[in-house]
Amino acid sequence: MTMLQGMHLTPIGDGIILLEPTDGLDPGEPDAYLVPLAGTLQQMRARRLIYDLKNVPVIDTLYYAWLTNLASICRISGIDMVLVNMRPATAYALALTMEDNPPFACALDVNRARNLP
Amino acid sequence: MVRNAKSKKSTNQLLIEQMMTKVATISQDIEKRGQSIFGQGNLLTLDEINDYSLEFLELFVLLLQAGEKVDRRSSEHKALRQFFSNFSQQIQIRGGNLEEFVRFIHFMQDVFLNNLETDSTLDFQQTREILLLLASVFNDIILDVFHVYLAEKERTIQAQQEELKHTSTPITEIWDGVLTLPIIGTLDSSRTMSVMENMLARIEKDRAKVVVIDVTGVQAIDSQVSHHLIQMIRAVGLMGAKAILTGIRPEIARAITSLNIDLSMVSTRATLSEGLKEAFALLSITVLAADVQHH
């Protein structure tokens, strides 16, 4: 497992990296995380980043902007980004505020995210 | 002399006196009528009818004794109205008829009016004041009974609407990982909320991979309805499932194109069965007829 500021990164095989955000993550400061994270993912030869939302009860506009920024960095780096373990209430609230389709894929859990084509 | 003494008394006192002299007859008449209305339909037992009649007379006397004039804000007036509210609620709960109940209240009023007719000592003015007093008190009571009746009806309608909301959008797991959601009627904001909540919870519970949303039963679509549909489809996607929209009738399709609604990101199929085929294809499931399997 690799520790970066505000997150844990765990390689789970086949170039798939599991990202678990910690309480220290400040989505209002994306610049503090994006460059080190992109560098680490390249070093790990990542082809898919699985972002675990298990401990994220609310996705507000700030958090959504952070996820969008992260998805853009991943796309430029040739990495798929998949969100997993979104809670029904979070999905519900987010769907009501979204104006476009999200720039990332979603899966019910880590296993399904691993098996996405 | 008697006439002069009576003229000094307030209307309330006159009515109390009248009631006291004939309380047994009044009580008997009310009970008899109550039995014929509520006893036959087993709405109230004999004891209950007697208790209600006595309680009514007691409360009515208390109201008349409270002052020279009936005060609508007095606790006695509130107690009498509360008594009738509770009485009517009980009759309603037991399946009673509002019309009959109102007739019963009118009958109670009539009992007092009949007493007035037989009392030759009252002059015109006194009779008029008693009539006005009775009309005012009994009108308030009837209005309260109507309020209780309407509130009860409102509660029943709301409960039925809630039930209808759930039964009109049954979410069924038609195959492992495949949910179907037929939408019938209109899709307003409140219904969208309830459907979305149920659907997202089911995706998580059943670990669904595909949700087929069938709108064959949707009569009309406007920009708001289509917006709600898109929100539902996005929410399904955020839970990691795939949404397929089926049953878009030609008129609905025409409405969607006229409204410039972009459904290009939504997977659509003409019928529910086509949607199910698509769902099976997504899950790499092939359904074959039994004879084909044998060959």
Side-chain angles (χ1 to χ4, degrees):
Chain A
M1 188 203 285
T2 306
M3 290 262 312
L4 277 182
Q5 191 194 347
M7 62 193 80
H8 293 157
L9 292 172
T10 314
I12 53 174
D14 287 337
I16 302 173
I17 310 296
L18 176 67
L19 187 159
E20 292 167 288
T22 63
D23 290 342
L25 178 79
D26 179 4
E29 293 289 337
D31 292 338
Y33 310 102
L34 287 173
V35 175
L37 176 60
T40 310
L41 289 175
Q42 279 177 3
Q43 278 172 13
M44 291 173 148
R45 295 175 184 276
R47 63 173 187 87
R48 176 168 295 168
L49 176 71
I50 299 178
Y51 194 108
D52 195 343
L53 293 168
K54 193 167 53 200
N55 297 320
V56 182
V58 178
I59 298 180
D60 56 11
T61 45
L62 196 68
Y63 206 96
Y64 187 71
W66 150 249
L67 291 172
T68 309
N69 277 326
L70 183 56
S72 302
I73 286 278
C74 285
R75 196 170 54 246
I76 293 164
S77 311
I79 300 167
D80 299 331
M81 180 171 149
V82 186
L83 264 57
V84 296
N85 291 324
M86 191 180 297
R87 298 175 192 188
T90 314
Y92 172 82
L94 187 56
L96 296 185
T97 54
M98 277 166 58
E99 286 179 2
D100 274 315
N101 288 331
F104 41 75
C106 296
L108 196 66
D109 55 30
V110 175
N111 271 340
R112 286 207 183 157
R114 285 176 73 135
N115 296 325
L116 281 177
Chain B
M1 282 297 285
V2 175
R3 236 181 148 75
N4 282 340
K6 276 205 172 183
S7 66
K8 285 175 190 167
K9 289 176 185 168
S10 70
T11 316
N12 290 12
Q13 282 172 314
L14 288 172
L15 199 53
I16 292 169
E17 273 177 17
Q18 260 215 327
M19 280 175 69
M20 289 306 164
T21 52
K22 292 178 181 174
V23 69
T25 323
I26 293 173
S27 165
Q28 217 171 21
D29 284 353
I30 292 175
E31 281 168 19
K32 208 170 154 189
R33 182 66 176 222
Q35 281 165 24
S36 82
I37 293 178
F38 305 120
Q40 283 174 353
N42 288 327
L43 294 172
L44 294 175
T45 63
L46 204 61
D47 286 343
E48 281 175 325
I49 293 167
N50 294 347
D51 287 347
Y52 273 126
S53 304
L54 287 175
E55 196 179 342
F56 159 66
L57 289 173
E58 273 173 26
L59 289 169
F60 193 44
V61 170
L62 282 175
L63 174 71
L64 297 174
Q65 284 173 337
E68 291 209 343
K69 284 189 172 179
V70 170
D71 180 6
R72 279 200 166 102
R73 288 165 301 180
S74 68
S75 55
E76 290 80 7
H77 197 266
K78 279 179 191 162
L80 184 67
R81 293 169 74 170
Q82 191 58 46
F83 162 77
F84 273 99
S85 297
N86 295 343
F87 190 4
S88 86
Q89 216 164 14
Q90 185 159 18
I91 294 295
Q92 265 192 72
I93 289 167
R94 295 184 183 181
N97 187 327
L98 174 76
E99 199 181 313
E100 281 175 342
F101 190 70
V102 172
R103 276 184 206 283
F104 181 61
I105 296 170
H106 274 300
F107 177 79
M108 288 174 158
Q109 193 179 358
D110 286 346
V111 170
F112 295 109
L113 296 178
N114 292 339
N115 267 342
L116 283 182
E117 281 177 15
T118 55
D119 191 343
S120 56
T121 59
L122 296 171
D123 63 24
F124 173 77
Q125 184 62 23
Q126 287 167 331
T127 312
R128 184 181 166 274
E129 278 173 10
I130 293 176
L131 275 174
L132 286 174
L133 170 70
L134 288 172
S136 154
V137 171
F138 279 92
N139 280 347
D140 280 349
I141 289 169
I142 289 171
L143 272 177
D144 282 346
V145 167
F146 267 109
H147 283 147
V148 170
Y149 176 78
L150 288 177
E152 198 62 40
K153 279 277 167 208
E154 190 89 358
R155 262 197 296 275
T156 310
I157 290 168
Q158 270 180 357
Q160 283 170 339
Q161 277 177 341
E162 278 299 310
E163 200 179 325
L164 196 67
K165 229 189 258 178
H166 289 290
T167 50
S168 64
T169 42
I171 302 168
T172 315
E173 189 180 26
I174 203 156
W175 199 275
D176 285 347
V178 182
L179 296 177
T180 56
L181 169 67
I183 299 172
I184 297 158
T186 52
L187 203 56
D188 57 18
S189 301
S190 108
R191 192 162 171 222
T192 307
M193 276 164 61
S194 128
V195 171
M196 266 170 81
E197 271 179 39
N198 291 337
M199 184 180 62
L200 298 177
R202 282 294 295 269
I203 291 172
E204 190 186 40
K205 180 175 158 273
D206 296 338
R207 303 186 51 74
K209 288 181 177 169
V210 185
V211 180
V212 183
I213 301 171
D214 185 60
V215 293
T216 311
V218 174
Q219 292 307 310
I221 201 160
D222 56 18
S223 58
Q224 201 185 6
V225 173
S226 62
H227 185 61
H228 288 144
L229 274 174
I230 291 169
Q231 283 175 341
M232 282 170 70
I233 290 162
R234 281 202 183 124
V236 171
L238 289 170
M239 289 297 292
K242 167 98 178 157
I244 301 169
L245 190 63
T246 67
I248 301 178
R249 291 179 291 111
E251 312 87 79
I252 301 282
R254 177 78 190 108
I256 288 171
T257 50
S258 306
L259 290 164
N260 281 329
I261 296 160
D262 182 17
L263 286 181
S264 58
M265 48 27 120
V266 182
S267 181
T268 55
R269 289 291 178 272
T271 61
L272 181 59
S273 69
E274 288 297 320
L276 286 175
K277 281 180 199 162
E278 171 71 7
F280 292 155
L282 285 168
L283 300 177
S284 308
I285 295 167
T286 314
V287 182
L288 295 173
D291 57 340
V292 175
Q293 277 181 315
H294 288 304
H295 287 302

